[in-house]
Amino acid sequence: MSTTKISSFFHALDSENPKVAKETVNKLLKKNPSSIHYQLLECYYKLKIDHNYQEAYDKSLDLVTNPANYNQLADTQVLTLLLDIFNQSNHANDVSKIFELLLKKQPFNTSLINYWFHYSLTNLNIPSLQKASFHLQKVTSNDEKHHASLAAAYNFYLATINNHNVMEKNLFPQLGLKLLNTVEPLKSDQEIFIKVKLLIACNQVDQAIEVIAKLIDTKKFNEIDITLVLIYLELLHQTNNYQKIHDFTNHVLFDQKFNDFNFWNYWLLAASKLGNQEVLKSMENLPSELKTSRNVLLTYINCGFLFKDDELIKKSVAQYYEYYGNKKCAYSDLIKYVKNPAFDTQWFINDLLLGKYYKDLGLDTKLSQKTKSTIQEVTMLVNLQKFKFLQNEPHLLSGTGSKEYIAENIKIFNYCYDNYLVHNKDLLKTDYFIGNELLIMNLQVELSANFSKQSVIRQVIILRYVLSFSPEDFIVKLWLMKLYNYLNLATLTAETFNSLSIKNVQIDTLNHYLSTRMASTFPDMDKYINSVILKNLKFYDDSQHDYLIHFLNNCYTNESFTKIEKYFEFMKKLAASYEKFYSFAELMEIEELTSGRTKFADQKKSNYDYSNLIKLNTNNNIIQGKKASTNDHDHVHDSILSFNTTGEICNNSSPTDYQWSYSDNRDFTTEWNAGIGHILRSLDTKLSVGPRTGDQYLKLKNLRHLLLKSPIDFDGKGNSKLFDSFEKILVETSQELLDKQFTEVERLEIDLYYNFWKLVRSLLSNDKKEIIDQQLAAISTIFATIIGEFGKITAAYVDVVNWEVAHKYITTIRLYKSFNKSFKAYKQHFPRLFNKNHPQYQGMSTHVIDHLSELQKSIQDSHNDNRLKQISVKNKTMLNGLASTMITEDEQLKKLNIDGNFTKEVFKVVEARYETIFQLLNRV
Amino acid sequence: MTSIVPFQATDLFRLNPVNLDVFTENFPLTFYFQYLSEWPTLFYKSIEPTYNVELLTNEFVCSGYMMGKTEGRKMDWHAHITAVTVNPAYRRLGLASLLCVQLEELTKSDPYNVYFVDLFVKVTNKLALVLYEKLGYSVYRRVVGYYGSNPNPSVKDVDDDTDAYDMRKAMMRDTKKQSVRANGRDVRVLPHEINFD
Ligand SMILES: CC(C)(COP(=O)(O)OP(=O)(O)OC[C@H]1O[C@@H](n2cnc3c(N)ncnc32)[C@H](O)[C@@H]1OP(=O)(O)O)[C@@H](O)C(=O)NCCC(=O)NCCS
């Protein structure tokens, strides 16, 4: 076996040099035609370069079915190649069959079974892992038997929850339990956890309860793994066993003094179900240190709602406020109640907050005084302003209402700044200044009530001012990035992003601040893509996968079974990360824009793997799309008590659902945890860089990209299958949903390609003239709209440039370049269809070719007319105008005492960045 | 309204409200996974039910977490606070204290049964020092250059910005309270001298 030749084969594939790869494998095969290894290399080539999955799979299968080949296949290098081919050709299910075949000859080959286990783990292949571990426990003896049996039993559970086969779903947990019986007595909580999970999977809930109850009876509370305790409560709840819930929570809360909200909720639930009138008495008799705890005070409010006792609600809310009205959590704690129709909001705001607390604070006189203030007072004031908004939302979102509210917030901010912050500057070294939230509230209200580019710029100035004294406030930075993105000031976004030291998994959740529509808004190689984006995308490098698998394996060796299920889920979500595939799709668009002069080969190799993409985009279960971790929630509508006993914030279904669908791990919520919060979230639609892209968006984008690689033959093979997927998504997704994800010009692009491809299909199958005419007319209309829209990018239409202008401009140019190139490729590929003698040539000429030239001319005209220059001049004039009014006349900036020079400086920075944008647009 | 629940791998996608804080370290994934796989019960989070006014649903945010471990031999067998951090929106409610007390509760008896709990804190992190002192921790020694990058440090190079205090609290098992001392601030060691293998 020629090791160097083999590595040069893989090297050639990696560096996108298929010719060399092909020559290498041919030479090897010539030397040794019967070598299984070389034959598999050929299959691998078929898979990777020809994308001929079927043939690659069929040929490798032939090699496996011949027992004479088993010896060669037992070599791990050969075996891995074979398995990789199976995996990548979408036959991961066959992985176990190969091992089973090989084991028939050597049933006790422990190293082969170990390899099977590790291969399955590495590929997150749960069904295969289950089978491997079952074999492993059979061949291990003595010391290791116990451990191997536990792993195998656990994997029966894992394979059950990841299974759609009803028979296996019933059978597996039973087999798992049987296996556990052989290792009884179980020693640790982790071992008992497996049993409990298997019992639940077998629908033997009572037995599961019994197992945990026994543990609770025999061990001290703090010595039991909390996971089991929480499962216990959940199961008791499921089986309506309220007496037991009552007894147990009573014990934990009062005897063990474990002051935990989950337990309070269950305690209250049980009491309400049992009609236990003692609840209030118990609450009133609590020891005083517990009585003022946040959990207890909130439980008290819940009592009021549960017993529908208005007086109690008022009393308990007032009590809560007394202790926690000066803590930041008061607003998020109480908003649920304040928004409840049964709640007397007027009483809360007018009587309690304004009446009692405003009066107590002596606010009116105090705000104009210079007295030292405390963090409690400052927090109280911020909370009051938040609640005040809730009382009068429609008015405060009107023109005059919002102005008054904003002015009031500024007045309070100044008070907090002058009387608290200046005396506590040290605080900012280690903590946050809650007063900043008043300005976040202003931003949210102003932009919701009165969105304009001017107000966006004003808010940029204000937030930069906040950062001048609170340089570490991450909420402010997140908002600032949103504002910069709206204005297309990507390099400022990048600087802010870097200042947050975002790294590791945060890249996956936050990189969208940088990557969203980057190819069509800021495709700058030097200052942006190379120096920021590509650095971030290294996070997705495959190399860390091996380390993570090592620790996943450790979960088995250390018997940390309670963590394995979510570990798998994490790995799958990361592998199918929306952000990862989105960013790489954007890079592909940059390649398209630069007509291939820019190459991201290194990134493509490991992350934008063609076969992965095809799977992700064509597998049926993803066509429907699936929302992953963001906004997962417990659907307890209108319920006062909320339970989260399993402790998973991400409440997702089984991990395999993510195997070949995107997992959207992006975080769009953190910045909304401040200020007025989620009520105003519709602001995102105005502020974000185009509509929020979703599943269909990315699939269509990727499929379009794949379909551009070579003309579609519409022969039911190769990329015509991809076209079917493309068509299916487009046809099956409602217009409304598409409009929610695409900008107008993006829609036009997708429609143009779709109609063009349909046209080629019709021409190839000699469809009726009417059909072809319809398609030609559709293409014509799309072109006309594109040209019309592009024509609007002039100084007459555009004022201050924002992302939208750049996006429309760049997308149209890219569309022209790539469509033109693609059209030529089709012309070459199907000379017959695009020949002057073809009966449809006239139609093609007027509807496609002429329009394409028209678009080209339109782009050319825009260059000749110096349109960008004119826009840039107008942009500058507008900014200058804004600068001079803001420096001298702006109410908000004046009231905040923001120095004119500061504002001037911000404008200077912004203007300089705009110059970069225009240089970039000129280069496109 | 806090509940303590186990930390799970998928929580890593939802940590921004806690981890965007500048004083909170964002570790490489492997670090979190090592803790999940080796000390599954000592890595837990606090969560707060929240109400989504937009969707009218109950949700949960992570308000803080504790990454803990156990290590050492014989009398050095102890629990270590690797990271404790609290979402700024939920600070000053006693959450950090709760997370620390919970670690003591979990490790002071079976199956861990440690002699003491320890942690490192930047000499300048006054706020955290107060927190730990309130919880009964005291300085055991000053680790010179713990957060620095000097390859050849000397105990003379005292620097508040790069030095850490090694703080300890003795547990019940350490009946003679041998794991703590009164004059810890005066005892200086170098990072490599802290070794529990
Ligand atoms: C340090 C930190 C964990 C404290 O969290 P917390 O939940 O607010 O702490 P607690 O509410 O339990 O505070 C306990 C005591 O610490 C002190 N303390 C905490 N935060 C304080 C602050 N901002 N200012 C003054 N004292 C403070 C107080 O004495 C407090 O008791 P009190 O509220 O009754 O006065 C939190 O600020 C944080 O996450 N910081 C960033 C990460 C970090 O530094 N971790 C520690 C590294 S070892």
Side-chain angles (χ1 to χ4, degrees):
Chain A
M1 185 166 52
S2 167
T3 324
T4 38
K5 280 267 157 55
I6 292 172
S7 33
S8 64
F9 166 79
F10 284 111
H11 179 75
L13 282 189
D14 283 349
S15 47
E16 298 202 341
N17 205 340
K19 230 172 118 188
V20 173
K22 184 84 193 155
E23 279 166 18
T24 315
V25 77
N26 284 346
K27 269 190 208 152
L28 286 168
L29 274 171
K30 210 167 159 193
K31 232 166 56 197
N32 187 354
S34 62
S35 155
I36 307 295
H37 199 165
Y38 300 160
Q39 291 181 63
L40 285 172
L41 289 179
E42 196 184 24
C43 294
Y44 196 69
Y45 181 90
K46 283 195 174 30
L47 180 98
K48 285 286 189 194
I49 303 298
D50 299 342
H51 309 298
N52 197 338
Y53 300 107
Q54 200 56 41
E55 207 184 321
Y57 170 68
D58 290 344
K59 246 197 116 193
S60 341
L61 194 64
D62 280 349
L63 296 174
V64 178
T65 40
N66 183 357
N69 294 338
Y70 286 7
N71 278 349
Q72 283 192 58
L73 282 172
D75 177 309
T76 41
Q77 219 187 337
V78 183
L79 185 58
T80 309
L81 183 58
L82 172 76
L83 297 170
D84 286 349
I85 293 170
F86 275 39
N87 257 335
Q88 292 180 30
S89 62
N90 234 345
H91 291 89
N93 290 346
D94 290 350
V95 165
S96 355
K97 287 185 196 142
I98 296 176
F99 283 101
E100 277 160 355
L101 272 176
L102 296 176
L103 282 171
K104 265 192 186 146
K105 241 180 132 187
Q106 319 162 277
F108 297 102
N109 185 341
T110 315
S111 62
L112 184 66
I113 307 176
N114 267 318
Y115 181 72
W116 182 6
F117 185 91
H118 285 282
Y119 187 84
S120 313
L121 212 55
T122 306
N123 289 284
L124 307 173
N125 186 339
I126 291 172
S128 169
L129 183 72
Q130 179 271 314
K131 291 193 171 69
S133 55
F134 188 67
H135 276 267
L136 207 52
Q137 60 80 32
K138 278 203 281 192
V139 296
T140 43
S141 53
N142 304 338
D143 293 356
E144 290 185 7
K145 184 86 181 166
H146 183 86
H147 175 74
S149 305
L150 290 171
Y154 179 79
N155 285 339
F156 269 122
Y157 161 72
L158 209 54
T160 306
I161 56 160
N162 284 285
N163 214 320
H164 297 297
N165 177 324
V166 180
M167 201 194 69
E168 287 183 351
K169 240 181 153 48
N170 289 328
L171 184 66
F172 280 4
Q174 289 176 29
L175 294 175
L177 281 173
K178 225 167 135 185
L179 202 55
L180 267 193
N181 276 339
T182 64
V183 292
E184 292 266 12
L186 301 177
K187 292 182 206 143
S188 66
D189 288 6
Q190 290 288 341
E191 300 181 4
I192 290 170
F193 169 78
I194 304 176
K195 183 163 183 177
V196 168
K197 283 289 187 182
L198 285 167
L199 284 168
I200 299 170
C202 283
N203 284 325
Q204 298 180 28
V205 174
D206 288 339
Q207 285 90 326
I209 292 176
E210 212 175 294
V211 170
I212 309 178
K214 214 164 129 194
L215 198 68
I216 289 171
D217 286 345
T218 51
K219 273 172 103 170
K220 281 194 215 149
F221 176 69
N222 65 340
E223 290 173 8
I224 308 169
D225 191 327
I226 188 91
T227 315
L228 286 171
V229 174
L230 296 173
I231 295 175
Y232 180 64
L233 283 169
E234 208 169 75
L235 295 179
L236 292 177
H237 185 18
Q238 250 177 48
T239 49
N240 300 330
N241 208 333
Y242 296 110
Q243 190 58 49
K244 273 198 178 146
I245 294 182
H246 175 79
D247 297 346
F248 181 57
T249 50
N250 231 23
H251 166 68
V252 171
L253 292 168
F254 304 115
D255 302 339
Q256 297 294 328
K257 301 195 170 37
F258 187 63
N259 180 2
D260 187 287
F261 200 64
N262 262 329
F263 287 80
W264 283 111
N265 265 350
Y266 275 114
W267 178 75
L268 193 55
L269 173 81
S272 71
K273 297 281 179 188
L274 296 169
N276 189 340
Q277 297 307 319
E278 301 296 302
V279 165
L280 289 178
K281 227 192 238 157
S282 315
M283 295 222 58
E284 267 148 30
N285 291 334
L286 288 172
S288 55
E289 76 274 9
L290 253 189
K291 247 182 168 167
T292 54
S293 96
R294 184 165 149 254
N295 282 344
V296 169
L297 289 169
L298 288 163
T299 303
Y300 208 30
I301 303 178
N302 283 348
C303 279
F305 277 93
L306 223 54
F307 299 138
K308 298 196 170 56
D309 180 338
D310 290 344
E311 281 315 302
L312 181 56
I313 293 177
K314 286 184 185 169
K315 186 177 154 197
S316 54
V317 167
Q319 265 184 24
Y320 170 90
Y321 219 84
E322 197 177 327
Y323 292 99
Y324 294 93
N326 59 18
K327 299 283 184 185
K328 200 177 163 191
C329 59
Y331 182 73
S332 54
D333 278 355
L334 293 185
I335 194 163
K336 167 178 178 171
Y337 308 111
V338 179
K339 280 274 167 186
N340 191 306
F343 189 71
D344 189 346
T345 315
Q346 294 306 325
W347 161 81
F348 175 63
I349 294 175
N350 291 335
D351 298 2
L352 186 74
L353 302 194
L354 298 180
K356 185 166 175 208
Y357 290 99
Y358 256 45
K359 237 176 43 218
D360 276 4
L361 287 172
L363 204 69
D364 284 345
T365 43
K366 213 166 186 185
L367 284 186
S368 47
Q369 287 170 0
K370 285 247 169 283
T371 44
K372 252 193 185 176
S373 184
T374 61
I375 187 67
Q376 287 78 8
E377 190 182 54
V378 167
T379 312
M380 177 82 83
L381 285 168
V382 174
N383 285 339
L384 288 172
Q385 287 309 107
K386 289 187 187 175
F387 284 118
K388 256 172 108 176
F389 180 83
L390 295 186
Q391 185 197 25
N392 216 347
E393 196 180 321
H395 172 66
L396 295 182
L397 287 178
S398 71
T400 47
S402 64
K403 275 206 179 104
E404 285 164 20
Y405 183 70
I406 287 168
E408 195 173 82
N409 283 341
I410 292 181
K411 199 169 161 189
I412 297 173
F413 173 84
N414 286 337
Y415 170 78
C416 299
Y417 185 95
D418 294 338
N419 301 306
Y420 178 74
L421 192 70
V422 289
H423 305 294
N424 292 282
K425 286 235 156 118
D426 251 11
L427 163 109
L428 294 176
K429 286 188 192 142
T430 43
D431 214 347
Y432 294 86
F433 176 46
I434 190 177
N436 295 345
E437 279 211 53
L438 291 159
L439 301 183
I440 295 288
M441 282 145 74
N442 279 1
L443 177 154
Q444 293 169 344
V445 170
E446 172 167 28
L447 296 183
S448 300
N450 198 5
F451 191 90
S452 69
K453 287 173 184 162
Q454 180 174 350
S455 49
V456 171
I457 293 176
R458 174 185 299 116
Q459 294 304 330
V460 167
I461 297 167
I462 295 175
L463 293 194
R464 284 177 71 109
Y465 163 69
V466 174
L467 287 185
S468 70
F469 56 83
S470 275
E472 308 295 358
D473 192 322
F474 66 83
I475 294 282
V476 170
K477 288 187 184 180
L478 293 177
W479 276 102
L480 198 51
M481 289 201 289
K482 281 163 95 105
L483 303 179
Y484 286 149
N485 280 343
Y486 174 79
L487 296 169
N488 211 33
L489 302 170
T491 48
L492 287 179
T493 310
E495 284 163 24
T496 314
F497 190 93
N498 288 339
S499 78
L500 282 164
S501 308
I502 289 168
K503 53 184 191 257
N504 304 324
V505 71
Q506 287 182 324
I507 304 269
D508 196 43
T509 55
L510 296 170
N511 194 55
H512 69 87
Y513 280 98
L514 300 169
S515 65
T516 302
R517 296 193 164 86
M518 64 178 176
S520 57
T521 56
F522 206 82
D524 179 280
M525 292 310 300
D526 306 331
K527 293 188 194 71
Y528 202 55
I529 309 296
N530 280 332
S531 56
V532 187
I533 303 290
L534 295 183
K535 242 166 65 192
N536 282 351
L537 296 185
K538 285 209 172 95
F539 166 70
Y540 297 111
D541 204 332
D542 284 342
S543 59
Q544 69 169 342
H545 183 81
D546 296 342
Y547 292 105
L548 296 181
I549 293 298
H550 166 78
F551 287 112
L552 179 54
N553 188 43
N554 272 5
C555 285
Y556 282 93
T557 39
N558 297 334
E559 299 189 358
S560 298
F561 296 110
T562 48
K563 305 292 177 189
I564 293 177
E565 188 180 340
K566 290 285 161 185
Y567 201 133
F568 268 101
E569 189 175 325
F570 177 89
M571 295 294 284
K572 290 187 173 184
K573 281 182 163 185
L574 193 62
S577 152
Y578 189 92
E579 181 53 31
K580 170 169 102 173
F581 285 98
Y582 179 84
S583 288
F584 288 107
E586 287 287 309
L587 294 184
M588 293 302 113
E589 264 183 18
I590 294 178
E591 283 194 6
E592 220 179 286
L593 180 70
T594 56
S595 309
R597 270 174 288 120
T598 319
K599 281 261 180 227
F600 300 101
D602 275 358
Q603 278 68 35
K604 256 193 296 186
K605 229 181 354 192
S606 51
N607 295 309
Y608 202 70
D609 188 282
Y610 194 88
S611 61
N612 265 354
L613 260 191
I614 289 180
K615 279 187 216 164
L616 271 167
N617 289 295
T618 53
N619 191 296
N620 274 339
N621 68 25
I622 57 162
I623 303 260
Q624 282 80 31
K626 179 139 183 19
K627 189 86 193 88
S629 77
T630 44
N631 283 334
D632 295 319
H633 33 69
D634 195 2
H635 295 269
V636 198
H637 292 259
D638 302 323
S639 121
I640 285 296
L641 305 183
S642 50
F643 298 97
N644 185 31
T645 44
T646 46
E648 267 90 61
I649 289 183
C650 311
N651 220 346
N652 289 309
S653 50
S654 62
T656 32
D657 290 349
Y658 299 99
Q659 192 156 16
W660 294 123
S661 66
Y662 300 118
S663 170
D664 194 347
N665 314 321
R666 294 174 298 175
D667 171 13
F668 294 106
T669 57
T670 297
E671 73 273 22
W672 282 106
N673 291 337
I676 309 284
H678 297 260
I679 308 172
L680 296 179
R681 266 195 67 182
S682 59
L683 170 59
D684 273 346
T685 51
K686 293 183 202 163
L687 201 53
S688 61
V689 180
R692 167 99 41 94
T693 66
D695 223 54
Q696 289 82 1
Y697 177 93
L698 189 49
K699 278 170 205 154
L700 288 170
K701 195 164 175 161
N702 276 330
L703 284 165
R704 184 189 71 86
H705 180 75
L706 294 173
L707 287 166
L708 283 183
K709 290 214 162 198
S710 56
I712 313 167
D713 283 316
F714 294 103
D715 54 359
K717 287 190 275 186
N719 59 2
S720 57
K721 280 195 189 144
L722 292 181
F723 174 76
D724 294 343
S725 298
F726 180 89
E727 184 166 43
K728 193 167 155 54
I729 298 171
L730 208 50
V731 171
E732 288 183 359
T733 312
S734 70
Q735 291 303 314
E736 198 194 342
L737 191 57
L738 289 174
D739 288 340
K740 270 193 185 155
Q741 300 186 23
F742 286 83
T743 63
E744 191 188 358
V745 61
E746 285 168 344
R747 264 310 294 280
L748 287 166
E749 175 176 41
I750 289 287
D751 287 345
L752 177 67
Y753 277 102
Y754 179 48
N755 279 288
F756 177 67
W757 288 327
K758 275 202 303 189
L759 173 71
V760 175
R761 182 174 62 183
S762 291
L763 290 172
L764 283 171
S765 47
N766 294 321
D767 278 349
K768 283 199 194 113
K769 187 172 179 316
E770 300 93 89
I771 296 179
I772 290 170
D773 283 348
Q774 263 174 21
Q775 285 156 350
L776 286 166
I779 292 174
S780 228
T781 313
I782 296 167
F783 264 123
T785 320
I786 293 169
I787 293 164
E789 287 299 310
F790 187 77
K792 284 187 198 159
I793 309 176
T794 63
Y797 279 95
V798 177
D799 49 14
V800 173
V801 169
N802 69 343
W803 70 268
E804 238 169 325
V805 180
H807 171 72
K808 206 191 261 186
Y809 184 81
I810 296 172
T811 308
T812 311
I813 291 178
R814 181 180 51 72
L815 180 153
Y816 166 73
K817 286 185 185 174
S818 89
F819 190 81
N820 190 33
K821 187 174 161 206
S822 170
F823 187 75
K824 280 185 189 149
Y826 273 87
K827 234 165 114 177
Q828 218 173 30
H829 193 71
F830 298 112
R832 184 177 62 83
L833 300 185
F834 294 84
N835 186 298
K836 287 208 166 94
N837 299 326
H838 193 279
Q840 298 300 341
Y841 185 77
Q842 192 49 45
M844 179 80 78
S845 168
T846 46
H847 293 286
V848 187
I849 300 172
D850 289 356
H851 276 314
L852 205 49
S853 320
E854 210 182 314
L855 179 57
Q856 184 189 20
K857 187 169 173 304
S858 186
I859 293 170
Q860 198 54 52
D861 285 350
S862 86
H863 290 313
N864 296 343
D865 302 349
N866 272 332
R867 250 178 255 170
L868 284 177
K869 176 102 193 109
Q870 289 161 16
I871 295 173
S872 113
V873 170
K874 182 166 175 196
N875 189 57
K876 208 167 178 171
T877 318
M878 299 286 301
L879 285 175
N880 285 340
L882 274 181
S884 56
T885 41
M886 282 201 190
I887 289 165
T888 52
E889 293 162 30
D890 192 88
E891 282 299 305
Q892 286 188 47
L893 303 185
K894 259 204 285 193
K895 284 188 181 138
L896 279 166
N897 305 317
I898 297 179
D899 189 70
N901 283 331
F902 184 90
T903 307
K904 214 189 226 163
E905 208 42 51
V906 177
F907 271 98
K908 231 165 102 185
V909 172
V910 169
E911 270 184 37
R913 302 302 165 116
Y914 270 118
E915 271 176 33
T916 330
I917 298 174
F918 282 104
Q919 283 163 9
L920 182 64
L921 291 176
N922 270 316
R923 283 203 305 270
V924 168
Chain B
M1 41 180 147
T2 305
S3 297
I4 297 227
V5 290
F7 195 98
Q8 293 286 1
T10 41
D11 291 326
L12 290 170
F13 290 124
R14 307 290 301 270
L15 280 193
N16 288 332
V18 185
N19 272 13
L20 274 172
D21 169 61
V22 271
F23 307 106
T24 301
E25 181 58 34
N26 245 298
F27 297 109
L29 285 176
T30 46
F31 195 71
Y32 294 111
F33 288 126
Q34 184 189 1
Y35 276 75
L36 283 173
S37 69
E38 289 191 35
W39 301 281
T41 50
L42 306 184
F43 192 177
Y44 47 88
K45 62 186 184 271
S46 56
I47 55 164
E48 312 290 324
T50 57
Y51 183 62
N52 186 326
V53 272
E54 196 192 8
L55 303 169
L56 308 181
T57 48
N58 286 315
E59 295 177 2
F60 299 88
V61 296
C62 179
S63 52
Y65 60 85
M66 160 68 73
M67 274 175 96
K69 66 173 174 180
T70 44
E71 61 185 351
R73 289 161 206 244
K74 298 187 182 153
M75 287 296 288
D76 274 341
W77 172 242
H78 70 283
H80 177 73
I81 298 176
T82 300
V84 59
T85 171
V86 171
N87 179 337
Y90 295 93
R91 289 193 183 162
R92 296 308 288 272
L93 293 169
L95 279 189
S97 311
L98 178 77
L99 290 164
C100 293
V101 169
Q102 180 68 6
L103 188 75
E104 291 170 23
E105 284 296 313
L106 287 170
T107 55
K108 71 180 183 192
S109 51
D110 281 342
Y112 296 105
N113 211 3
V114 298
Y115 286 96
F116 62 94
V117 182
D118 77 350
L119 58 98
F120 297 110
V121 58
K122 252 190 170 168
V123 169
T124 48
N125 195 345
K126 299 242 161 52
L127 188 153
L129 275 165
V130 175
L131 159 83
Y132 295 128
E133 274 167 359
K134 271 194 172 175
L135 289 170
Y137 288 77
S138 59
V139 175
Y140 182 73
R141 52 192 166 182
R142 180 179 180 126
V143 191
V144 179
Y146 183 79
Y147 297 104
S149 50
N150 184 353
N152 299 310
S154 142
V155 278
K156 288 189 202 128
D157 303 336
V158 170
D159 179 352
D160 283 359
D161 284 331
T162 50
D163 295 355
Y165 282 133
D166 176 1
M167 296 183 84
R168 289 186 176 186
K169 180 175 178 180
M171 296 288 107
M172 260 169 348
R173 188 172 180 189
D174 180 11
T175 44
K176 292 186 191 151
K177 305 288 169 242
Q178 286 167 291
S179 57
V180 290
R181 58 184 157 214
N183 62 338
R185 282 177 195 248
D186 305 330
V187 180
R188 294 178 197 165
V189 294
L190 291 172
H192 71 262
E193 294 174 57
I194 298 171
N195 188 354
F196 292 107
D197 287 341

